[in-house]
């Protein structure tokens, strides 16, 4: 059964504001794989665990129709609020029960979501709805984040690691599926044609405000917030103050280099 961890409206709003679009490098790898294995036309892409639509929206330039699916009504409402994508629609639902006919989907994607799925049921349903030579693209990023700013990178990384340790008791066992880079799910996919890449380093510039906002989107931070609102709020305030002090800046708009290690699983359904 798909776990429901992102359903509160405030959490969905944070997700829309602070979660990242998929990096261009990863998007190109996925599209090249689909072109090589199946070829055009690209008619239907389905983005599972779509959240607030960060992966769904970029797909619209390459597919006749894109459908984003998420278990959270609040996340779907946030996604629908973004205008300008006439070939994109959203539905509330799960990855294990998809509202599509057999053999109708060209590409199934899941960004930072597949570790929440019931693997056996998801693979069975993916196999049902994918066209022959249709593809799976499951990806995300591990927790090995590195932060750099002038000469204080080590100190900033230590602060980030301390936050992770505080949140560790509130971390779902399902998150280990992401931190293991979907190794078990990859092994469970029965298709002969599949590949898994563990490390694709992606560097971007983020403001301190956005780093703190990103932490707020974590399911484990939200669990901590529910358990102890005062302590969770103080953690963010203290972390912000410590980062400002280490960087010797006064504004949370100051930017750092934020390096994440993405991974992906690609698989092609046989004829």
């Amino acid at each position: 059964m798909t776990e429901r961890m992102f359903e509160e409206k405030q959490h969905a709003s944070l997700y829309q504001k602070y979660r990242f679009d998929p990096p261009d490098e990863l998007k190109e790898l996925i599209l090249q794989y689909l072109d090589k294995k199946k070829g055009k036309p690209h008619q239907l892409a389905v983005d599972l665990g779509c959240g607030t639509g960060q992966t769904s929206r970029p797909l619209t330039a390459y597919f006749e129709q894109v459908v984003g699916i998420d278990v959270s009504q609040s996340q779907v409402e946030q996604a629908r609020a973004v205008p300008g994508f006439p070939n994109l629609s959203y539905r509330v639902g799960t990855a294990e029960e998809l509202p599509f006919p057999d053999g109708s989907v060209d590409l199934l994607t899941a960004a930072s979501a597949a570790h929440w799925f019931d693997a056996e049921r998801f693979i069975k349903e993916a196999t049902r709805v994918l066209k022959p030579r249709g593809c799976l693209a499951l990806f995300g990023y591990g927790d090995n984040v590195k932060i750099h700013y002038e000469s204080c990178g080590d100190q900033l990384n230590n602060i980030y690691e301390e936050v992770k340790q505080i949140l560790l008791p509130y971390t779902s066992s399902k998150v280990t599926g992401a931190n293991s880079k979907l190794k078990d799910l990859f092994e469970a996919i029965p298709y002969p044609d599949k590949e898994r890449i563990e490390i694709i380093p992606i560097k971007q510039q983020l403001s301190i405000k956005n780093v703190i906002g990103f932490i707020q989107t974590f399911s484990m931070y939200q669990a901590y917030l529910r358990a102890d609102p005062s302590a969770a709020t103080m953690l963010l305030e203290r972390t912000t103050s410590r980062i400002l002090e280490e960087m010797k800046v006064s504004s949370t708009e100051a930017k750092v280099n934020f390096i994440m290690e993405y991974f992906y699983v690609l698989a092609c359904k046989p004829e």
Side-chain angles (χ1 to χ4, degrees), residues 11-229:
H11 194 185
S13 178
L14 290 167
Y15 223 81
Q16 181 71 286
K17 190 172 183 180
Y18 294 117
R19 280 292 172 123
F20 314 119
D21 291 351
D24 289 341
E25 298 94 322
L26 194 57
K27 182 180 68 178
E28 290 303 317
L29 283 169
I30 292 168
L31 292 169
Q32 287 170 11
Y33 184 84
L34 181 65
D35 282 340
K36 178 181 177 182
K37 300 300 180 182
K38 181 191 166 292
K40 292 181 171 58
H42 299 335
Q43 294 173 313
L44 175 60
V46 178
D47 183 26
L48 303 172
C50 67
T52 52
Q54 281 85 352
T55 300
S56 309
R57 290 186 288 272
L59 290 172
T60 60
Y62 306 94
F63 291 83
E64 295 175 20
Q65 183 184 7
V66 178
V67 180
I69 295 180
D70 200 278
V71 296
S72 167
Q73 180 70 43
S74 295
Q75 296 269 349
V76 168
E77 287 174 0
Q78 285 283 336
R80 286 173 174 158
V82 179
F85 299 90
N87 60 331
L88 172 59
S89 61
Y90 295 98
R91 303 183 188 185
V92 175
T94 72
E96 298 86 358
E97 296 182 29
L98 297 174
F100 304 103
D102 296 358
S104 62
V105 177
D106 295 281
L107 178 68
L108 280 174
T109 61
S112 300
H115 55 286
W116 298 109
F117 302 163
D118 179 313
E120 182 178 353
R121 293 179 59 216
F122 161 62
I123 292 169
K124 182 178 179 180
E125 188 70 339
T127 300
R128 182 185 70 78
V129 302
L130 282 172
K131 295 177 180 178
R133 309 298 297 171
C135 296
L136 277 174
L138 317 174
F139 60 93
Y141 39 80
D143 63 351
N144 187 27
V145 169
K146 297 299 180 187
I147 305 173
H148 294 286
Y149 178 82
E150 296 184 355
S151 62
C152 62
D154 287 345
Q155 297 94 317
L156 296 179
N157 288 316
N158 288 339
I159 292 169
Y160 189 83
E161 288 299 317
E162 288 174 24
V163 171
K164 283 168 51 180
Q165 288 303 310
I166 290 170
L167 298 181
L168 190 59
Y170 302 91
T171 302
S172 167
S173 61
K174 287 284 190 178
V175 174
T176 60
N179 292 338
S180 68
K181 302 175 182 179
L182 301 180
K183 181 176 183 292
D184 290 344
L185 182 56
F186 173 75
E187 292 174 352
I189 295 171
Y191 310 160
D193 194 342
K194 60 183 179 178
E195 62 184 64
R196 174 173 168 263
I197 300 297
E198 292 192 33
I199 299 177
I200 306 173
I202 301 292
K203 181 170 75 172
Q204 57 185 316
Q205 284 205 318
L206 289 184
S207 68
I208 299 169
K209 178 181 177 182
N210 279 53
V211 172
I212 298 301
F214 178 57
I215 293 170
Q216 284 181 275
T217 70
F218 294 172
S219 60
M220 54 284 248
Y221 176 78
Q222 292 296 316
Y224 187 33
L225 184 65
R226 289 190 294 271
D228 193 338

Side-chain angles (χ1 to χ4, degrees), residues 229-258:
S230 177
T233 301
M234 285 182 61
L235 173 64
L236 293 185
E237 292 174 352
R238 185 171 67 251
T239 301
T240 302
S241 296
R242 292 177 66 193
I243 291 174
L244 289 169
E245 183 178 350
E246 290 292 350
M247 291 173 60
K248 296 180 172 57
V249 297
S250 58
S251 171
T252 57
E253 296 301 327
K255 294 184 182 296
V256 299
N257 288 321
F258 199 75

